Amino acid sequence: MPVQVTVWNENVHEQEEQAVAERYPDGIHGAIADAVAGDERTVRTATLQEPDHGLTESVLADTDVLLWWSHCANDEVTDEVADRVVDRVHEGMGFVPIHSGKNSKPFTRLMGTSCNIKYRHGGETERLWVADPGHPIVDGLPESFEIPATEMYGEPYDVPEPDRTVFISWFEGGEVFRSGVCYRRGRGRIFAFRPGHEEYPIFYQDEIRTVLDNAVEWAAPTDGSEAVWGEVEPAEPLED
Amino acid sequence: MPVQVTVWNENVHEQEEQAVAERYPDGIHGAIADAVAGDERTVRTATLQEPDHGLTESVLADTDVLLWWSHCANDEVTDEVADRVVDRVHEGMGFVPIHSGKNSKPFTRLMGTSCNIKYRHGGETERLWVADPGHPIVDGLPESFEIPATEMYGEPYDVPEPDRTVFISWFEGGEVFRSGVCYRRGRGRIFAFRPGHEEYPIFYQDEIRTVLDNAVEWAAPTDGSEAVWGEVEPAEPLED
Amino acid sequence: MPVQVTVWNENVHEQEEQAVAERYPDGIHGAIADAVAGDERTVRTATLQEPDHGLTESVLADTDVLLWWSHCANDEVTDEVADRVVDRVHEGMGFVPIHSGKNSKPFTRLMGTSCNIKYRHGGETERLWVADPGHPIVDGLPESFEIPATEMYGEPYDVPEPDRTVFISWFEGGEVFRSGVCYRRGRGRIFAFRPGHEEYPIFYQDEIRTVLDNAVEWAAPTDGSEAVWGEVEPAEPLED
Amino acid sequence: MPVQVTVWNENVHEQEEQAVAERYPDGIHGAIADAVAGDERTVRTATLQEPDHGLTESVLADTDVLLWWSHCANDEVTDEVADRVVDRVHEGMGFVPIHSGKNSKPFTRLMGTSCNIKYRHGGETERLWVADPGHPIVDGLPESFEIPATEMYGEPYDVPEPDRTVFISWFEGGEVFRSGVCYRRGRGRIFAFRPGHEEYPIFYQDEIRTVLDNAVEWAAPTDGSEAVWGEVEPAEPLED
């Protein structure tokens, strides 16, 4: 069975800034979709502007892993769609918020924290170090790689202590950041990945594409066991 | 400085069921408040029926640890008050949801999961085992203790993997449950404690009172460090 | 590439107790090997009595996942072989200690704790509840299953807080136990599974075999990234 | 009751290198002891050269928190003393390995991993960022602080995923490191702190002294509950 991937993008910078439109002629979602395509994958895209933001019950029911890019329009996502995404994660859908997707309603609701950071524009160098070389999300990567120009994110990153810290970034301006962190919520696997600012051609970089590709593989749901909730009869006889 | 404790209770069963009213003449909140009182504590109570459910900005600002009992009226708590509680937890307020307080808006928002369980009424025996004998919440407890009659909660408990699993319960009817689990969200310490069904005099039981008393001590905020979020200047000179 | 599995057994009870020998005519290792066999697997066995306990450098180098049953002869495993196993786990070999394999030198060295428990012989009922229904180790299992007669293990279980708590057991005699717990040490995945006492035909039970089979799949190594340790040159120019 | 602190130092560089002897005329242990002194503390020191390395059963029995500095002589610590330290941690003694104390026998035995890192001499700048501003170990600290000249440690740091990641360091040469990490093993709290290279006057720096002082407070044992291990009678009647 192919892994069914949906790449969601707010798709606003591409409409409003010519440089972004030229950098990503198929949208950031198009570049991400291209990065995660493969023989064992079906990949579709969805954007904020579509009805239900393109994330209907039916689309989500057919999605194994949802990659999510958002930034300036995080507040425009409806509560209903955000809760629908959260519910599907609980059911097992993998969720990969990218860059300021960390501020999205689905991610902050799944974390239960502010997800605050510090940041700086300007195009400095970032070096991502693999902190967990045994993790499947780093399969095939070198021990570190650089993004030559990016927006900076700095600690403290107000998220729950991660299940696994996969990447830690070094920034030219003096900050550090946990750039790849893993969680589980319900049955769903979550990987929050920091890079991907719209002002730079980051989604064309090989290492970034490898990470996203590996993340899809890692986040895809597995069967697990039955779970019974609600009122139940005793398994053992009760004393009167 | 005394620890400032607020005990919140929906206070509905006490109004609607005579047996509960007789069991807890000062309300469940009164019994909990009595359990956590002490020389180094100021303890007040608040209930659903008060304006802002008794949890105004001012009350929360003066609260170090909030204990929370709720059950049938979880949905009646306003979103505004729920978010206010969540925000104060992020700032450092300790939070101790008790029994079906696990279904409260503040707790489920802090967890990011459904917090589902299985359950059964009927008054069976529960035995709480200490799984983490080095934890301060179990100071002075025996290795296990029994509640002679209680509602059952059973696994799977749909919460994030706990930071620490303090208690695991055995039930006469054949189920198990992680009855005391610890988390941190932002600066706030959270301890979710299972026992405390309104149909039984559980809050008069010594071990239960010891747990709640210890939990207040454990959950009280500490200073921590400064945290700077938002746009920042570089700490190191950037190349042009 | 098939997953290369080695099943290690101290193989002492089978030699010394006729009932065990009759129950497991191919040894406990034989029964476990049968449970984890499959088209995409190569499975071999090794025992305490062989040179190097059958765990030479060469055997371990060709082992993706090592299942380990031990009990009365834990102390007879040489330090050299124990360290060799630990080193291979660090390199990525999956490790599945079963039953009192929790007291083995490799497991206690990987945990850094006493791994103490309480226990009782006598053949009581155990019911394993799935605490983590989204975990791949429970693929295809019901929400709980019973072992009709077993030795009891009870909390507190002196291990580090698990990465994931997969099973929690209920015992007829009133105890509970975290019967399936996951860790990572270095690149290696570890799943410690409680059941499997030699006095009962537990390794012929379908659910147990499913767990072991799933555990092999889960614990098999993945590639990960390069890791460089030791003295290194700077990635950035240093000021004089 | 005062917290009873023991500061252990291998005390070799001070004997062999004049610059270190001049920098730390009372030994590194002397400087650390001075940093953690206080009205509610008794502080003593012990070194490798003493009988039993100064860590007799009696000394450890009277130690609430052990701070540990070691480097070139890690292998000279006897297995017996290392195990004695580990056992006391299990019983509740706090343990604070400093700098290359991460390579000490007690710490590596408690972690169960190699504790490998990359490193570089030369005296570059390190900036420690607080990743967990709600942690008591950072009470009173700014959000970051610099060590003007130090040895570098770089990721990957081969330790188990920490319970809490308190500090992450940025290095001038381009690396990052989790410089303050918390664990529990048995009843004992462990805080591994990276800074403290002997070639620089790091233990005279205010922020470093504050961290060590806070770490002692955090790592001091609490009572906890009783723990019963070994063979036990059933709490519930067993069927025949």
Side-chain angles (χ1 to χ4, degrees):
Chain A
M1 278 273 293
V3 176
Q4 302 177 100
V5 182
T6 300
V7 179
W8 190 89
N9 178 18
E10 62 178 35
N11 194 28
V12 173
H13 294 289
E14 293 90 332
Q15 312 307 316
E16 298 185 350
E17 296 164 51
Q18 191 175 347
V20 179
E22 288 175 3
R23 188 171 301 115
Y24 291 114
D26 300 320
I28 288 174
H29 48 294
I32 295 174
D34 186 61
V36 300
D39 289 348
E40 301 295 311
R41 303 264 175 85
T42 65
V43 182
R44 67 180 134 189
T45 62
T47 60
L48 180 69
Q49 298 76 22
E50 299 172 41
D52 272 20
H53 312 322
L55 298 174
T56 60
E57 291 282 2
S58 152
V59 164
L60 288 176
D62 287 345
T63 299
D64 292 318
V65 181
L66 175 66
L67 298 104
W68 180 288
W69 195 99
S70 59
H71 184 212
C72 57
N74 273 320
D75 289 345
E76 295 176 35
V77 173
T78 65
D79 285 343
E80 189 186 347
V81 167
D83 284 341
R84 197 182 288 162
V85 169
V86 166
D87 289 348
R88 268 294 290 151
V89 172
H90 292 167
E91 289 173 14
M93 182 181 73
F95 182 57
V96 182
I98 301 169
H99 195 51
S100 37
K102 73 160 194 68
N103 285 334
S104 66
K105 288 182 180 179
F107 186 62
T108 55
R109 290 177 189 197
L110 288 160
M111 294 295 100
T113 58
S114 73
C115 303
N116 280 341
I117 57 158
K118 55 170 60 73
Y119 67 93
R120 180 173 54 245
H121 289 273
E124 66 201 87
T125 302
E126 173 180 10
R127 180 177 300 103
L128 289 100
W129 288 96
V130 173
D132 186 0
H135 202 282
I137 286 179
V138 299
D139 279 6
L141 287 180
E143 64 156 355
S144 74
F145 63 93
E146 288 180 34
I147 297 174
T150 190
E151 182 191 16
M152 182 280 295
Y153 277 11
E155 295 278 345
Y157 184 15
D158 184 22
V159 283
E161 187 79 20
D163 292 350
R164 302 296 306 180
T165 300
V166 179
F167 293 105
I168 301 176
S169 285
W170 177 100
F171 288 95
E172 185 185 349
E175 289 84 2
V176 296
F177 195 76
R178 288 169 288 177
S179 284
V181 288
C182 296
Y183 296 93
R184 187 111 77 66
R185 291 293 179 269
R187 293 171 184 266
R189 292 168 181 81
I190 300 168
F191 176 66
F193 190 49
R194 194 209 85 79
H197 193 59
E198 72 277 4
E199 296 179 298
Y200 310 98
I202 292 170
F203 292 112
Y204 299 122
Q205 189 170 335
D206 280 349
E207 297 95 338
I208 299 292
R209 295 165 74 89
T210 296
V211 171
L212 295 175
D213 192 56
N214 288 342
V216 166
E217 205 64 27
W218 172 82
T222 49
D223 290 345
S225 78
E226 182 187 8
V228 177
W229 286 309
E231 195 158 14
V232 296
E233 292 297 309
E236 299 284 327
L238 296 175
E239 279 185 26
D240 293 329
Chain B
M1 277 274 293
V3 176
Q4 302 178 100
V5 182
T6 300
V7 179
W8 191 88
N9 178 17
E10 61 177 34
N11 195 27
V12 173
H13 294 288
E14 293 91 332
Q15 312 307 317
E16 298 186 349
E17 296 165 49
Q18 192 175 346
V20 178
E22 288 175 4
R23 187 172 301 114
Y24 291 113
D26 300 320
I28 288 174
H29 48 293
I32 295 174
D34 186 61
V36 301
D39 288 348
E40 300 296 311
R41 305 264 174 85
T42 65
V43 181
R44 69 180 133 190
T45 61
T47 59
L48 179 70
Q49 298 76 21
E50 298 172 42
D52 273 20
H53 312 322
L55 298 175
T56 60
E57 290 283 3
S58 152
V59 165
L60 288 176
D62 288 345
T63 298
D64 292 319
V65 181
L66 175 66
L67 298 104
W68 180 289
W69 196 99
S70 59
H71 184 211
C72 56
N74 274 320
D75 289 346
E76 295 177 34
V77 173
T78 65
D79 285 343
E80 189 187 349
V81 168
D83 284 341
R84 196 182 289 162
V85 169
V86 166
D87 289 348
R88 269 294 289 151
V89 172
H90 293 168
E91 288 173 15
M93 182 181 72
F95 182 57
V96 182
I98 302 169
H99 194 52
S100 37
K102 69 158 195 74
N103 285 333
S104 66
K105 288 182 180 178
F107 186 62
T108 54
R109 289 177 191 196
L110 288 160
M111 293 295 102
T113 58
S114 73
C115 303
N116 281 340
I117 57 158
K118 54 170 60 74
Y119 68 93
R120 179 173 55 244
H121 288 273
E124 67 201 86
T125 301
E126 172 180 10
R127 180 177 298 105
L128 289 101
W129 288 95
V130 173
D132 186 0
H135 201 282
I137 287 180
V138 300
D139 279 5
L141 286 181
E143 63 154 357
S144 73
F145 64 93
E146 289 180 33
I147 298 174
T150 190
E151 182 192 16
M152 182 280 296
Y153 277 13
E155 295 278 345
Y157 184 17
D158 185 23
V159 284
E161 188 79 20
D163 292 351
R164 302 296 305 180
T165 301
V166 179
F167 293 106
I168 300 176
S169 286
W170 177 100
F171 288 94
E172 185 185 350
E175 289 84 2
V176 296
F177 195 76
R178 286 170 289 177
S179 284
V181 288
C182 295
Y183 296 93
R184 187 111 79 63
R185 291 293 179 269
R187 292 170 185 266
R189 292 167 181 82
I190 300 167
F191 176 65
F193 190 49
R194 193 209 84 77
H197 193 58
E198 73 277 3
E199 296 180 297
Y200 310 98
I202 291 170
F203 291 112
Y204 298 123
Q205 189 170 335
D206 281 349
E207 297 95 338
I208 298 293
R209 295 165 73 91
T210 296
V211 170
L212 295 175
D213 192 56
N214 288 342
V216 166
E217 205 64 28
W218 172 82
T222 50
D223 290 346
S225 77
E226 182 186 11
V228 178
W229 287 308
E231 195 158 14
V232 295
E233 291 298 308
E236 299 284 327
L238 295 175
E239 280 185 27
D240 293 327
Chain C
M1 276 273 293
V3 177
Q4 302 177 100
V5 182
T6 301
V7 179
W8 191 88
N9 178 19
E10 62 177 34
N11 195 27
V12 174
H13 294 288
E14 293 92 331
Q15 312 306 316
E16 299 185 349
E17 296 164 51
Q18 191 175 348
V20 179
E22 290 174 2
R23 186 171 304 115
Y24 291 113
D26 300 319
I28 288 174
H29 47 293
I32 295 174
D34 186 61
V36 301
D39 289 349
E40 300 297 311
R41 305 264 174 85
T42 64
V43 182
R44 67 180 134 190
T45 62
T47 59
L48 180 69
Q49 297 77 21
E50 300 172 39
D52 274 18
H53 313 321
L55 298 174
T56 59
E57 290 283 4
S58 152
V59 164
L60 287 176
D62 287 344
T63 299
D64 293 317
V65 181
L66 175 66
L67 298 104
W68 180 287
W69 196 99
S70 59
H71 185 211
C72 56
N74 273 320
D75 289 346
E76 295 176 34
V77 172
T78 66
D79 284 344
E80 188 186 348
V81 167
D83 285 341
R84 196 182 287 162
V85 169
V86 166
D87 290 348
R88 268 294 289 151
V89 172
H90 292 168
E91 289 174 13
M93 182 180 73
F95 181 57
V96 182
I98 301 169
H99 194 52
S100 36
K102 72 159 193 72
N103 285 334
S104 66
K105 288 182 180 178
F107 186 63
T108 55
R109 289 177 189 197
L110 288 160
M111 293 295 101
T113 58
S114 73
C115 303
N116 280 341
I117 56 158
K118 54 170 61 73
Y119 67 93
R120 179 173 54 245
H121 288 273
E124 67 201 86
T125 302
E126 173 180 10
R127 180 177 300 105
L128 289 100
W129 287 96
V130 173
D132 187 359
H135 202 283
I137 286 179
V138 299
D139 279 4
L141 286 181
E143 64 155 354
S144 74
F145 63 93
E146 288 180 34
I147 298 173
T150 190
E151 183 191 15
M152 183 280 295
Y153 277 13
E155 294 279 343
Y157 184 16
D158 185 22
V159 283
E161 188 78 20
D163 293 350
R164 302 295 306 178
T165 301
V166 179
F167 293 105
I168 301 176
S169 286
W170 178 99
F171 289 94
E172 185 184 350
E175 289 85 2
V176 296
F177 195 76
R178 288 171 287 177
S179 284
V181 288
C182 295
Y183 296 93
R184 187 112 77 65
R185 291 294 179 266
R187 293 170 185 265
R189 293 168 180 82
I190 301 167
F191 175 66
F193 190 49
R194 194 210 84 79
H197 194 59
E198 73 276 4
E199 296 179 299
Y200 310 98
I202 291 170
F203 291 112
Y204 299 123
Q205 188 171 335
D206 281 349
E207 297 95 337
I208 298 294
R209 295 165 74 89
T210 296
V211 170
L212 295 175
D213 191 57
N214 289 341
V216 166
E217 204 64 28
W218 171 82
T222 50
D223 290 346
S225 77
E226 181 187 10
V228 177
W229 286 308
E231 194 158 14
V232 295
E233 291 299 307
E236 300 285 327
L238 294 175
E239 280 184 27
D240 292 329
Chain D
M1 277 274 292
V3 176
Q4 302 178 101
V5 182
T6 300
V7 179
W8 191 87
N9 178 18
E10 61 177 36
N11 195 27
V12 174
H13 294 289
E14 294 91 332
Q15 311 308 315
E16 299 186 349
E17 297 164 51
Q18 192 175 346
V20 178
E22 289 175 3
R23 188 171 302 114
Y24 291 114
D26 300 320
I28 287 174
H29 49 293
I32 295 174
D34 187 61
V36 301
D39 289 348
E40 301 295 310
R41 304 264 174 86
T42 65
V43 181
R44 69 180 133 189
T45 61
T47 58
L48 180 69
Q49 298 77 20
E50 299 171 41
D52 273 19
H53 314 321
L55 298 175
T56 59
E57 290 282 4
S58 152
V59 165
L60 287 176
D62 288 344
T63 299
D64 293 318
V65 181
L66 176 66
L67 298 104
W68 179 289
W69 196 99
S70 59
H71 185 211
C72 57
N74 273 321
D75 289 345
E76 296 176 34
V77 173
T78 65
D79 285 342
E80 189 187 348
V81 167
D83 285 340
R84 196 183 288 163
V85 169
V86 166
D87 289 348
R88 268 294 289 150
V89 172
H90 293 168
E91 288 173 14
M93 183 180 73
F95 182 57
V96 182
I98 301 169
H99 194 52
S100 38
K102 71 158 195 74
N103 284 334
S104 66
K105 287 183 181 179
F107 185 63
T108 54
R109 289 177 189 197
L110 287 161
M111 294 295 102
T113 58
S114 73
C115 302
N116 281 341
I117 57 157
K118 55 170 60 72
Y119 68 93
R120 178 173 55 244
H121 288 273
E124 67 201 86
T125 302
E126 173 180 10
R127 181 176 299 104
L128 290 100
W129 288 95
V130 173
D132 186 0
H135 201 281
I137 286 179
V138 299
D139 279 4
L141 287 181
E143 63 155 357
S144 74
F145 64 92
E146 288 180 34
I147 297 174
T150 190
E151 181 191 17
M152 182 281 294
Y153 277 12
E155 295 278 345
Y157 185 15
D158 185 22
V159 283
E161 187 78 20
D163 292 350
R164 301 297 304 181
T165 301
V166 179
F167 293 106
I168 301 176
S169 285
W170 177 100
F171 288 94
E172 185 185 350
E175 289 85 2
V176 296
F177 195 76
R178 288 170 289 177
S179 283
V181 287
C182 296
Y183 296 93
R184 188 112 78 63
R185 290 293 179 269
R187 293 171 184 265
R189 292 168 182 81
I190 301 167
F191 175 66
F193 191 49
R194 192 209 86 78
H197 194 58
E198 73 277 4
E199 295 179 299
Y200 310 99
I202 291 169
F203 291 111
Y204 299 123
Q205 189 170 334
D206 281 347
E207 297 95 337
I208 299 293
R209 294 165 75 89
T210 296
V211 170
L212 295 175
D213 192 56
N214 289 342
V216 166
E217 205 64 27
W218 172 82
T222 50
D223 290 347
S225 77
E226 181 187 12
V228 178
W229 286 309
E231 195 158 14
V232 295
E233 292 298 309
E236 299 284 328
L238 296 174
E239 280 185 26
D240 291 329

